Amino acid sequence: MDDTPAPFTEADYAARMSRAARDAAETRLSGLLITPGPDLTWLCGYRPTATTERLTLLVLSPGSEPRLLVPSLERPDAEAAPGADAVRISDWRDGQDPYAAATGLLLPNGRYGVADTTWALHLLGLQEALPLTTYRPLTVVLPLLRAVKDDHEVARLASAAAAADAVYEEILSVRFTGRRESEVATDLARLLRERGHSQVVSVVASGRNSAHPHHRTGERTLKKGDMVILDFGGLKDGYASHLTRTVHVGEPTDEERTVHDLVRTAQQAAFAAVAPGATCQEVDGRARGPIEDAGYGEYATEPSGHGIGVTAHEPPYLTAREETFLVPGMCFSIGSGVYLPGRFGVRIADVVTCTADGGRRLNATDRGMAIVA
């Protein structure tokens, strides 16, 4: 079955750029300056074939048409982007000053939000050309620019999640005992690519390593009695997947089952708290409640989740201090974990979207403890 999503249209990109310019005006910005990275791709569909020192700059200003400044050598690529007809493209040639070319697109004393991926080289060049301009990071002034997804974006996230689910179901039949973490991680990466992922991340943390929340897959050999955290995902059709499950090699102890059941209960509590009007900190608190009540609070050291979209980590963040209200269309990874130093850890996470009626899981695979060989 072909699950290739319908392409985004010129109208989709035009609407995104118009909304971004409007949001900039409401934040008292003169506009937004977007350089190559996820924001540029999301806003106008342009992804340069290579990121170089040559300045590429999308300028979005309230009341003005979107302008895209590109190196002349790369203009044909820019004109072929799916949102190209929604922007006015101009270029600069090698040997010219690109920042002088950019000055005609900016106000001499403007206040701009700048994409987080902007090179210091370019920001310093703009400041030198227009010394009265000021700049703020985009994730500071408009952190939720990409946070609310439309139906087509949610569909892509759901497709990526379904692919990750299928990978998990297949990895359960792979032999774990006697193999290195890196070998299982390679299996996960291969399976993700076979199911349409263009970029992949796969982390396998076994035994004592599973007690380290940010373990990097290593060469430890898995053996019976190991708890194993599988944390994997990537990009499919431009949108991210992220799935975390904890399995056990052979039969677990009573304590291991107890901790796994506790984490599963906590993750379910966080999911149940997802609703329009709830805050990120409320969802995080619901995840921590059962763990703290059971006496494991000091071992729940990770936030409960983060936004997900064209990148795997983006606002909003489900943390104890994040007061952002959830609204329909927000999508995020939501999880719970307990990490017992020097012993073992457990984490369970899914991708969830907020709807008018509450939360909807995009990952459907079982969250119980699977026993692997």
Side-chain angles (χ1 to χ4, degrees):
M1 178 179 177
D2 184 8
D3 66 347
T4 303
F8 295 121
T9 66
E10 175 191 337
D12 292 325
Y13 292 113
R16 291 174 186 177
M17 289 187 284
S18 176
R19 177 162 63 86
R22 186 169 61 251
D23 289 348
E26 292 175 355
T27 316
R28 297 183 179 179
L29 294 171
S30 303
L32 305 180
L33 308 182
I34 310 298
T35 53
D39 290 318
L40 182 66
T41 303
W42 182 78
L43 283 163
C44 71
Y46 179 43
R47 180 187 287 110
T49 54
T51 301
T52 71
E53 73 282 0
R54 293 185 175 93
L55 177 68
T56 294
L57 187 68
L58 174 67
V59 180
L60 302 177
S61 300
S64 300
E65 65 179 327
R67 300 290 298 271
L68 179 62
L69 177 66
V70 300
S72 58
L73 292 173
E74 299 171 17
R75 181 164 185 156
D77 291 335
E79 291 175 336
D85 288 342
V87 300
R88 182 178 174 185
I89 299 175
S90 58
D91 60 44
W92 60 275
R93 295 181 179 276
D94 281 354
Q96 293 181 325
D97 182 352
Y99 308 109
T103 58
L105 307 180
L106 308 182
L107 296 176
N109 60 347
R111 178 175 178 265
Y112 291 96
V114 181
D116 293 15
T117 53
T118 302
W119 289 15
L121 169 72
H122 297 320
L123 189 56
L124 292 170
L126 291 171
Q127 288 178 320
E128 184 175 354
L130 295 169
L132 297 182
T133 52
T134 57
Y135 306 91
R136 299 291 306 282
L138 198 56
T139 52
V140 172
V141 292
L142 288 177
L144 302 181
L145 178 66
R146 304 194 317 256
V148 179
K149 277 68 178 177
D150 62 28
D151 290 344
H152 297 296
E153 292 182 285
V154 174
R156 291 193 183 211
L157 286 165
S159 176
D165 282 349
V167 168
Y168 176 67
E169 296 297 334
E170 187 162 349
I171 203 70
L172 295 180
S173 64
V174 169
R175 184 166 184 81
F176 281 64
T177 305
R179 303 180 71 215
R180 295 189 297 274
E181 289 178 347
S182 60
E183 292 177 302
V184 178
T186 297
D187 287 339
L188 285 169
R190 172 180 54 79
L191 291 170
L192 285 165
R193 290 191 178 94
E194 289 176 357
R195 284 160 180 77
H197 281 65
S198 58
Q199 298 180 24
V200 299
V201 176
S202 57
V203 176
V204 177
S206 64
R208 291 186 176 185
N209 291 342
S210 66
H212 192 312
H214 293 155
H215 172 67
R216 291 186 177 183
T217 301
E219 299 305 311
R220 182 183 181 277
T221 299
L222 282 69
K223 62 181 186 298
K224 284 190 176 182
D226 280 348
M227 196 78 88
V228 184
I229 295 178
L230 306 174
D231 187 4
F232 58 96
L235 290 182
K236 180 179 183 291
D237 298 316
Y239 281 74
S241 65
H242 181 200
L243 181 67
T244 309
R245 293 290 185 266
T246 304
V247 303
H248 199 275
V249 184
E251 287 299 318
T253 65
D254 290 344
E255 182 187 20
E256 288 170 332
R257 285 193 181 277
T258 296
V259 173
H260 191 281
D261 288 345
L262 174 62
V263 170
R264 183 180 180 183
T265 297
Q267 201 254 3
Q268 175 60 31
F271 169 72
V274 174
T279 64
C280 291
Q281 63 183 188
E282 288 172 348
V283 176
D284 181 74
R286 287 287 294 273
R288 295 184 184 281
I291 294 173
E292 291 174 351
D293 291 345
Y296 288 90
E298 64 181 297
Y299 305 115
T301 54
E302 279 199 297
S304 297
H306 50 79
I308 192 165
V310 294
T311 59
H313 291 78
E314 60 186 47
Y317 295 95
L318 305 181
T319 67
R321 294 186 178 182
E322 180 56 69
E323 298 178 349
T324 297
F325 290 97
L326 302 185
V327 299
M330 283 184 173
C331 300
F332 33 82
S333 174
I334 186 168
S336 296
V338 167
Y339 307 91
L340 304 178
R343 300 182 62 205
F344 66 88
V346 175
R347 186 162 183 83
I348 300 170
D350 295 314
V351 176
V352 171
T353 183
C354 180
T355 76
D357 300 318
R360 170 193 164 202
R361 291 185 191 271
L362 301 187
N363 290 108
T365 195
D366 186 44
R367 292 177 296 283
M369 184 191 291
I371 309 301
V372 295

